[in-house]
Amino acid sequence: QVELVESGGGSVQAGGSLRLSCAASGRTFRPMGWFRQATGSGSAREFVAAIGPKSLNIVYADSVKGRFTVSRDNAANTVYLEMNRLKPEDTAAYYCAAGSLGPNAGSYEYWGQGTQVTVSS
Protein backbone atom coordinates (compact mmCIF):
# COMPACT_ATOMS: atom_id res chain seq x y z
CA GLN A 1 0.00 0.00 0.00
CA VAL A 2 1.26 3.49 -0.87
CA GLU A 3 -0.16 6.78 0.35
CA LEU A 4 0.60 9.99 -1.52
CA VAL A 5 0.07 13.55 -0.34
CA GLU A 6 0.69 16.51 -2.64
CA SER A 7 1.46 20.03 -1.52
CA GLY A 8 2.80 23.28 -2.91
CA GLY A 9 -0.04 24.35 -5.17
CA GLY A 10 -1.29 27.91 -5.26
CA SER A 11 -1.97 30.93 -7.41
CA VAL A 12 0.73 32.60 -9.47
CA GLN A 13 0.97 35.02 -12.35
CA ALA A 14 2.01 33.90 -15.80
CA GLY A 15 5.79 33.54 -15.99
CA GLY A 16 6.05 32.62 -12.34
CA SER A 17 7.18 29.42 -10.67
CA LEU A 18 5.90 26.86 -8.20
CA ARG A 19 7.33 23.69 -6.74
CA LEU A 20 5.00 20.82 -5.97
CA SER A 21 5.90 18.08 -3.53
CA CYS A 22 4.50 14.59 -3.19
CA ALA A 23 5.20 12.88 0.11
CA ALA A 24 4.92 9.10 -0.08
CA SER A 25 4.54 6.44 2.57
CA GLY A 26 4.56 2.69 2.27
CA ARG A 27 6.41 0.82 -0.47
CA THR A 28 7.71 3.93 -2.17
CA PHE A 29 10.62 2.71 -4.31
CA ARG A 30 8.53 2.81 -7.48
CA PRO A 31 8.29 4.86 -10.65
CA MET A 32 6.34 8.01 -9.93
CA GLY A 33 4.38 10.32 -12.18
CA TRP A 34 2.65 13.67 -12.21
CA PHE A 35 -0.65 14.27 -13.95
CA ARG A 36 -2.97 17.24 -14.15
CA GLN A 37 -6.64 17.72 -14.74
CA ALA A 38 -8.24 20.99 -15.70
CA THR A 39 -11.54 21.99 -14.18
CA GLY A 40 -14.53 21.28 -16.34
CA SER A 41 -16.75 18.47 -17.34
CA GLY A 42 -15.11 15.90 -19.51
CA SER A 43 -11.54 17.05 -18.95
CA ALA A 44 -9.14 14.14 -19.11
CA ARG A 45 -6.28 13.56 -16.70
CA GLU A 46 -3.21 14.66 -18.63
CA PHE A 47 0.27 13.21 -18.20
CA VAL A 48 2.91 15.75 -17.15
CA ALA A 49 6.08 13.90 -16.16
CA ALA A 50 7.39 10.66 -14.68
CA ILE A 51 10.58 9.53 -12.99
CA GLY A 52 12.04 6.08 -12.39
CA PRO A 53 13.02 4.75 -8.94
CA LYS A 54 16.68 5.74 -9.31
CA SER A 55 15.99 8.90 -11.34
CA LEU A 56 17.70 7.30 -14.36
CA ASN A 57 14.58 7.43 -16.50
CA ILE A 58 12.65 10.67 -16.79
CA VAL A 59 9.83 11.45 -19.21
CA TYR A 60 8.04 14.72 -19.90
CA ALA A 61 4.98 15.71 -21.86
CA ASP A 62 5.85 17.93 -24.79
CA SER A 63 3.71 20.70 -23.34
CA VAL A 64 5.96 21.08 -20.28
CA LYS A 65 9.36 20.05 -21.64
CA GLY A 66 11.95 22.71 -20.90
CA ARG A 67 9.76 24.40 -18.27
CA PHE A 68 9.06 21.66 -15.70
CA THR A 69 11.56 19.46 -13.88
CA VAL A 70 10.68 16.29 -12.00
CA SER A 71 13.00 14.97 -9.31
CA ARG A 72 12.91 12.73 -6.27
CA ASP A 73 14.60 12.31 -2.93
CA ASN A 74 14.27 8.65 -1.98
CA ALA A 75 15.69 9.23 1.49
CA ALA A 76 12.83 11.66 2.13
CA ASN A 77 10.26 9.60 0.20
CA THR A 78 9.35 12.71 -1.76
CA VAL A 79 8.92 13.51 -5.43
CA TYR A 80 9.02 17.08 -6.70
CA LEU A 81 7.74 18.95 -9.71
CA GLU A 82 9.50 22.25 -10.28
CA MET A 83 7.35 24.39 -12.59
CA ASN A 84 8.85 27.46 -14.24
CA ARG A 85 7.57 29.94 -16.84
CA LEU A 86 4.04 28.99 -15.95
CA LYS A 87 1.25 29.70 -18.41
CA PRO A 88 -2.50 30.12 -17.87
CA GLU A 89 -3.01 26.81 -19.67
CA ASP A 90 -1.05 25.10 -16.89
CA THR A 91 -3.98 25.81 -14.56
CA ALA A 92 -5.23 22.47 -13.22
CA ALA A 93 -5.34 20.16 -10.26
CA TYR A 94 -2.02 18.33 -10.13
CA TYR A 95 -1.82 14.74 -8.96
CA CYS A 96 1.09 12.50 -8.20
CA ALA A 97 0.81 8.81 -8.85
CA ALA A 98 2.88 5.71 -8.18
CA GLY A 99 3.58 2.55 -10.10
CA SER A 100 4.44 3.36 -13.71
CA LEU A 101 6.65 5.46 -15.93
CA GLY A 102 4.38 6.02 -18.87
CA PRO A 103 1.69 8.52 -19.89
CA ASN A 104 -1.23 6.15 -19.36
CA ALA A 105 -3.04 7.08 -16.16
CA GLY A 106 -4.58 3.63 -15.99
CA SER A 107 -1.15 2.04 -15.47
CA TYR A 108 -0.61 3.80 -12.12
CA GLU A 109 -1.72 2.03 -8.97
CA TYR A 110 -1.85 4.78 -6.39
CA TRP A 111 -2.92 8.43 -6.50
CA GLY A 112 -2.76 11.44 -4.26
CA GLN A 113 -5.66 13.77 -3.60
CA GLY A 114 -4.33 16.56 -5.81
CA THR A 115 -3.20 20.14 -5.34
CA GLN A 116 -4.59 23.09 -7.29
CA VAL A 117 -2.39 25.30 -9.44
CA THR A 118 -3.90 28.48 -10.85
CA VAL A 119 -1.97 30.68 -13.27
CA SER A 120 -3.39 34.09 -14.08
CA SER A 121 -2.53 36.13 -17.15
Side-chain angles (χ1 to χ4, degrees):
Q1 186 72 15
V2 175
E3 294 186 0
L4 305 172
V5 179
E6 302 95 336
S7 61
S11 297
V12 64
Q13 288 191 328
S17 299
L18 284 173
R19 187 174 83 153
L20 306 183
S21 299
C22 174
S25 60
R27 293 181 60 190
T28 58
F29 195 65
R30 300 166 179 257
M32 300 288 291
W34 286 96
F35 286 76
R36 64 188 182 186
Q37 188 167 20
T39 302
S41 60
S43 61
R45 196 161 285 192
E46 176 191 5
F47 172 75
V48 175
I51 184 168
K54 295 185 178 181
S55 303
L56 298 177
N57 296 302
I58 294 177
V59 184
Y60 294 100
D62 287 343
S63 59
V64 306
K65 202 172 291 183
R67 299 188 298 123
F68 290 11
T69 303
V70 62
S71 62
R72 66 190 296 162
D73 181 345
N74 287 337
N77 291 333
T78 303
V79 178
Y80 303 97
L81 185 67
E82 181 78 32
M83 305 186 296
N84 298 312
R85 303 201 313 272
L86 283 160
K87 304 175 181 179
E89 52 262 45
D90 294 319
T91 295
Y94 282 71
Y95 299 87
C96 71
S100 183
L101 194 62
N104 182 4
S107 64
Y108 290 77
E109 298 177 73
Y110 303 99
W111 291 84
Q113 83 290 347
T115 186
Q116 179 68 34
V117 171
T118 302
V119 184
S120 57
S121 57

PDB file of all heavy atoms in Angstrom, residues 96-113:
ATOM      1  N   CYS A  96      -0.007  13.441  -8.040  1.00  0.00           N
ATOM      2  CA  CYS A  96       1.091  12.500  -8.196  1.00  0.00           C
ATOM      3  C   CYS A  96       0.535  11.086  -8.115  1.00  0.00           C
ATOM      4  O   CYS A  96      -0.536  10.853  -7.532  1.00  0.00           O
ATOM      5  CB  CYS A  96       2.198  12.727  -7.179  1.00  0.00           C
ATOM      6  SG  CYS A  96       1.813  12.288  -5.494  1.00  0.00           S
ATOM      7  N   ALA A  97       1.253  10.189  -8.744  1.00  0.00           N
ATOM      8  CA  ALA A  97       0.809   8.810  -8.849  1.00  0.00           C
ATOM      9  C   ALA A  97       2.015   7.886  -8.790  1.00  0.00           C
ATOM     10  O   ALA A  97       3.118   8.274  -9.172  1.00  0.00           O
ATOM     11  CB  ALA A  97       0.042   8.597 -10.155  1.00  0.00           C
ATOM     12  N   ALA A  98       1.780   6.667  -8.345  1.00  0.00           N
ATOM     13  CA  ALA A  98       2.876   5.706  -8.177  1.00  0.00           C
ATOM     14  C   ALA A  98       2.605   4.438  -8.962  1.00  0.00           C
ATOM     15  O   ALA A  98       1.462   3.981  -9.044  1.00  0.00           O
ATOM     16  CB  ALA A  98       3.054   5.378  -6.704  1.00  0.00           C
ATOM     17  N   GLY A  99       3.686   3.881  -9.538  1.00  0.00           N
ATOM     18  CA  GLY A  99       3.583   2.548 -10.100  1.00  0.00           C
ATOM     19  C   GLY A  99       3.902   2.395 -11.566  1.00  0.00           C
ATOM     20  O   GLY A  99       3.953   1.269 -12.065  1.00  0.00           O
ATOM     21  N   SER A 100       4.148   3.491 -12.286  1.00  0.00           N
ATOM     22  CA  SER A 100       4.443   3.364 -13.713  1.00  0.00           C
ATOM     23  C   SER A 100       5.302   4.518 -14.158  1.00  0.00           C
ATOM     24  O   SER A 100       5.523   5.485 -13.419  1.00  0.00           O
ATOM     25  CB  SER A 100       3.141   3.327 -14.519  1.00  0.00           C
ATOM     26  OG  SER A 100       3.410   3.139 -15.889  1.00  0.00           O
ATOM     27  N   LEU A 101       5.793   4.406 -15.385  1.00  0.00           N
ATOM     28  CA  LEU A 101       6.653   5.458 -15.926  1.00  0.00           C
ATOM     29  C   LEU A 101       6.061   6.075 -17.189  1.00  0.00           C
ATOM     30  O   LEU A 101       6.630   6.968 -17.778  1.00  0.00           O
ATOM     31  CB  LEU A 101       8.039   4.865 -16.239  1.00  0.00           C
ATOM     32  CG  LEU A 101       9.193   5.830 -16.493  1.00  0.00           C
ATOM     33  CD1 LEU A 101       9.470   6.677 -15.269  1.00  0.00           C
ATOM     34  CD2 LEU A 101      10.449   5.060 -16.872  1.00  0.00           C
ATOM     35  N   GLY A 102       4.920   5.584 -17.597  1.00  0.00           N
ATOM     36  CA  GLY A 102       4.377   6.021 -18.866  1.00  0.00           C
ATOM     37  C   GLY A 102       3.277   7.048 -18.741  1.00  0.00           C
ATOM     38  O   GLY A 102       2.905   7.442 -17.633  1.00  0.00           O
ATOM     39  N   PRO A 103       2.725   7.485 -19.862  1.00  0.00           N
ATOM     40  CA  PRO A 103       1.695   8.521 -19.886  1.00  0.00           C
ATOM     41  C   PRO A 103       0.274   8.012 -19.659  1.00  0.00           C
ATOM     42  O   PRO A 103      -0.655   8.816 -19.625  1.00  0.00           O
ATOM     43  CB  PRO A 103       1.837   9.095 -21.293  1.00  0.00           C
ATOM     44  CG  PRO A 103       2.302   7.936 -22.116  1.00  0.00           C
ATOM     45  CD  PRO A 103       3.192   7.131 -21.207  1.00  0.00           C
ATOM     46  N   ASN A 104       0.111   6.721 -19.516  1.00  0.00           N
ATOM     47  CA  ASN A 104      -1.227   6.150 -19.359  1.00  0.00           C
ATOM     48  C   ASN A 104      -1.628   6.152 -17.893  1.00  0.00           C
ATOM     49  O   ASN A 104      -1.075   5.413 -17.082  1.00  0.00           O
ATOM     50  CB  ASN A 104      -1.244   4.720 -19.903  1.00  0.00           C
ATOM     51  CG  ASN A 104      -2.612   4.094 -19.801  1.00  0.00           C
ATOM     52  OD1 ASN A 104      -3.580   4.725 -19.404  1.00  0.00           O
ATOM     53  ND2 ASN A 104      -2.694   2.817 -20.145  1.00  0.00           N
ATOM     54  N   ALA A 105      -2.619   6.982 -17.558  1.00  0.00           N
ATOM     55  CA  ALA A 105      -3.041   7.084 -16.164  1.00  0.00           C
ATOM     56  C   ALA A 105      -3.508   5.744 -15.607  1.00  0.00           C
ATOM     57  O   ALA A 105      -3.355   5.467 -14.414  1.00  0.00           O
ATOM     58  CB  ALA A 105      -4.144   8.135 -16.035  1.00  0.00           C
ATOM     59  N   GLY A 106      -4.073   4.914 -16.448  1.00  0.00           N
ATOM     60  CA  GLY A 106      -4.578   3.631 -15.990  1.00  0.00           C
ATOM     61  C   GLY A 106      -3.509   2.662 -15.537  1.00  0.00           C
ATOM     62  O   GLY A 106      -3.820   1.666 -14.869  1.00  0.00           O
ATOM     63  N   SER A 107      -2.238   2.942 -15.863  1.00  0.00           N
ATOM     64  CA  SER A 107      -1.154   2.044 -15.474  1.00  0.00           C
ATOM     65  C   SER A 107      -0.589   2.382 -14.092  1.00  0.00           C
ATOM     66  O   SER A 107       0.307   1.692 -13.619  1.00  0.00           O
ATOM     67  CB  SER A 107      -0.035   2.082 -16.526  1.00  0.00           C
ATOM     68  OG  SER A 107       0.542   3.371 -16.580  1.00  0.00           O
ATOM     69  N   TYR A 108      -1.071   3.412 -13.457  1.00  0.00           N
ATOM     70  CA  TYR A 108      -0.608   3.803 -12.122  1.00  0.00           C
ATOM     71  C   TYR A 108      -1.553   3.222 -11.072  1.00  0.00           C
ATOM     72  O   TYR A 108      -2.766   3.258 -11.226  1.00  0.00           O
ATOM     73  CB  TYR A 108      -0.549   5.324 -11.999  1.00  0.00           C
ATOM     74  CG  TYR A 108       0.565   5.937 -12.818  1.00  0.00           C
ATOM     75  CD1 TYR A 108       0.441   6.075 -14.198  1.00  0.00           C
ATOM     76  CD2 TYR A 108       1.747   6.357 -12.220  1.00  0.00           C
ATOM     77  CE1 TYR A 108       1.467   6.617 -14.963  1.00  0.00           C
ATOM     78  CE2 TYR A 108       2.772   6.914 -12.968  1.00  0.00           C
ATOM     79  CZ  TYR A 108       2.631   7.038 -14.340  1.00  0.00           C
ATOM     80  OH  TYR A 108       3.638   7.574 -15.085  1.00  0.00           O
ATOM     81  N   GLU A 109      -0.949   2.729  -9.991  1.00  0.00           N
ATOM     82  CA  GLU A 109      -1.725   2.032  -8.972  1.00  0.00           C
ATOM     83  C   GLU A 109      -2.274   2.951  -7.889  1.00  0.00           C
ATOM     84  O   GLU A 109      -3.346   2.705  -7.345  1.00  0.00           O
ATOM     85  CB  GLU A 109      -0.854   0.968  -8.297  1.00  0.00           C
ATOM     86  CG  GLU A 109      -0.345  -0.113  -9.227  1.00  0.00           C
ATOM     87  CD  GLU A 109       0.567  -1.074  -8.466  1.00  0.00           C
ATOM     88  OE1 GLU A 109       0.067  -1.873  -7.667  1.00  0.00           O
ATOM     89  OE2 GLU A 109       1.788  -0.986  -8.682  1.00  0.00           O
ATOM     90  N   TYR A 110      -1.505   3.957  -7.537  1.00  0.00           N
ATOM     91  CA  TYR A 110      -1.852   4.783  -6.385  1.00  0.00           C
ATOM     92  C   TYR A 110      -1.846   6.258  -6.803  1.00  0.00           C
ATOM     93  O   TYR A 110      -1.010   6.679  -7.608  1.00  0.00           O
ATOM     94  CB  TYR A 110      -0.864   4.569  -5.234  1.00  0.00           C
ATOM     95  CG  TYR A 110      -0.777   3.136  -4.799  1.00  0.00           C
ATOM     96  CD1 TYR A 110       0.251   2.320  -5.231  1.00  0.00           C
ATOM     97  CD2 TYR A 110      -1.739   2.605  -3.940  1.00  0.00           C
ATOM     98  CE1 TYR A 110       0.324   0.992  -4.835  1.00  0.00           C
ATOM     99  CE2 TYR A 110      -1.667   1.280  -3.530  1.00  0.00           C
ATOM    100  CZ  TYR A 110      -0.643   0.483  -3.986  1.00  0.00           C
ATOM    101  OH  TYR A 110      -0.577  -0.819  -3.587  1.00  0.00           O
ATOM    102  N   TRP A 111      -2.753   7.013  -6.178  1.00  0.00           N
ATOM    103  CA  TRP A 111      -2.915   8.428  -6.505  1.00  0.00           C
ATOM    104  C   TRP A 111      -3.038   9.260  -5.237  1.00  0.00           C
ATOM    105  O   TRP A 111      -3.606   8.805  -4.239  1.00  0.00           O
ATOM    106  CB  TRP A 111      -4.180   8.625  -7.342  1.00  0.00           C
ATOM    107  CG  TRP A 111      -4.063   8.041  -8.717  1.00  0.00           C
ATOM    108  CD1 TRP A 111      -4.281   6.733  -9.070  1.00  0.00           C
ATOM    109  CD2 TRP A 111      -3.674   8.714  -9.907  1.00  0.00           C
ATOM    110  NE1 TRP A 111      -4.050   6.576 -10.418  1.00  0.00           N
ATOM    111  CE2 TRP A 111      -3.686   7.772 -10.956  1.00  0.00           C
ATOM    112  CE3 TRP A 111      -3.332  10.036 -10.197  1.00  0.00           C
ATOM    113  CZ2 TRP A 111      -3.356   8.111 -12.276  1.00  0.00           C
ATOM    114  CZ3 TRP A 111      -3.015  10.373 -11.500  1.00  0.00           C
ATOM    115  CH2 TRP A 111      -3.032   9.414 -12.525  1.00  0.00           C
ATOM    116  N   GLY A 112      -2.529  10.489  -5.328  1.00  0.00           N
ATOM    117  CA  GLY A 112      -2.760  11.444  -4.261  1.00  0.00           C
ATOM    118  C   GLY A 112      -4.079  12.155  -4.467  1.00  0.00           C
ATOM    119  O   GLY A 112      -4.814  11.892  -5.433  1.00  0.00           O
ATOM    120  N   GLN A 113      -4.370  13.081  -3.566  1.00  0.00           N
ATOM    121  CA  GLN A 113      -5.663  13.771  -3.602  1.00  0.00           C
ATOM    122  C   GLN A 113      -5.633  15.005  -4.496  1.00  0.00           C
ATOM    123  O   GLN A 113      -6.668  15.578  -4.804  1.00  0.00           O
ATOM    124  CB  GLN A 113      -6.083  14.182  -2.183  1.00  0.00           C
ATOM    125  CG  GLN A 113      -5.478  15.471  -1.662  1.00  0.00           C
ATOM    126  CD  GLN A 113      -3.994  15.389  -1.375  1.00  0.00           C
ATOM    127  OE1 GLN A 113      -3.425  14.305  -1.336  1.00  0.00           O
ATOM    128  NE2 GLN A 113      -3.361  16.537  -1.172  1.00  0.00           N
TER     129      GLN A 113
END
